[in-house]
Amino acid sequence: MNSDNALHFDVALVLDLLGVFFFAVSGSLLAARKGFDMVGSLLLGCLVGLGGGVIRDLIISTAVPAAFSQPLYLAPPLLAAVLVHLLFSHVERGGRLLIIFDAGGLALFCITGTLKALVAGLNPVAAILLGVTTAVGGGLLRDITANEVPQLFDSKDLYGIPAFLGAGLTTVLFSTGLLNLFSGSAVAVAVFTFRILAWHFGWHAPLAARRNRAGAVPG
């Protein structure tokens, strides 16, 4: 591994672990809202925190996904489950906190997924697609497991588009040699801000088909 790839690996590892923690908190918060026990909270946190990364590593043919080969990846979901267990009675029971932590995970994972794909030699388009898959995969698994409508398919919200933005910016920075911990963090902040603003103001993409006034899709 040359020095540039080693630097990118260090950036990816730091952002990856932070992303696992943010996503795991969102999973544990959802588990608490659903009345799951500590085991259920930990498992849901692991599913959302590690699921996207496992999908990413399997696609780029990593022999053993990082979630299984590096025990360090298990620490963030455990910490998240304990923190939510201790603090949940003192925090808002609505969805705002869950959205905030989910947005943090989304912002970080779209960067790390894209970066790992680029370092593995994938072309820019494939790297962007894999970055988006990494970002939305865990949340999709979380929502389906908890019997929630996946945020990815919510017509009144933007979820995938902020991930595409982050993956695209990461690819540009990598290609120009400007990607480092500072610039990567700036991209994460931009994606996080975009995601929160979209949720707050109800921004959404055009529907797949136009509806008439009665709400039905014209035949």
Side-chain angles (χ1 to χ4, degrees), residues 9-169:
F9 178 81
D10 291 339
V11 171
L13 180 60
V14 172
L15 298 182
D16 219 22
L17 290 174
L18 286 174
V20 171
F21 174 74
F22 276 99
F23 262 145
V25 170
S26 76
S28 293
L29 284 170
L30 182 57
R33 281 174 47 193
K34 290 284 188 176
F36 294 0
D37 60 18
M38 267 296 281
V39 175
S41 176
L42 178 60
L43 291 178
L44 195 61
C46 285
L47 186 64
V48 61
L50 303 176
V54 170
I55 295 171
R56 171 200 65 210
D57 292 346
L58 290 175
I59 290 176
I60 61 177
S61 299
T62 300
V64 179
F68 300 110
S69 64
Q70 301 182 41
L72 185 61
Y73 274 84
L74 299 177
L78 180 59
L79 177 61
V82 171
L83 287 177
V84 171
H85 174 74
L86 295 175
L87 301 177
F88 187 71
S89 61
H90 303 292
V91 301
E92 176 190 359
R93 287 183 173 267
R96 180 176 302 176
L97 199 60
L98 192 156
I99 292 293
I100 290 173
F101 277 95
D102 182 77
L106 183 82
L108 293 165
F109 268 22
C110 69
I111 297 171
T112 61
T114 304
L115 178 56
K116 287 197 172 185
L118 290 168
V119 171
L122 272 67
N123 65 71
V125 174
I128 290 173
L129 292 176
L130 187 54
V132 174
T133 300
T134 305
V136 305
L140 184 63
L141 293 173
R142 174 199 62 208
D143 294 340
I144 291 175
T145 301
N147 199 29
E148 293 276 305
V149 176
Q151 293 183 42
L152 179 62
F153 302 129
D154 187 350
S155 62
K156 299 179 181 179
D157 199 1
L158 291 180
Y159 198 71
I161 292 178
F164 270 106
L165 172 65
L169 290 174

Side-chain angles (χ1 to χ4, degrees), residues 114 118 124 128 165-179:
T114 304
L118 290 168
I128 290 173
L165 172 65
L169 290 174
T170 300
T171 300
V172 171
L173 290 171
F174 181 90
S175 300
T176 56
L178 297 176
L179 185 63

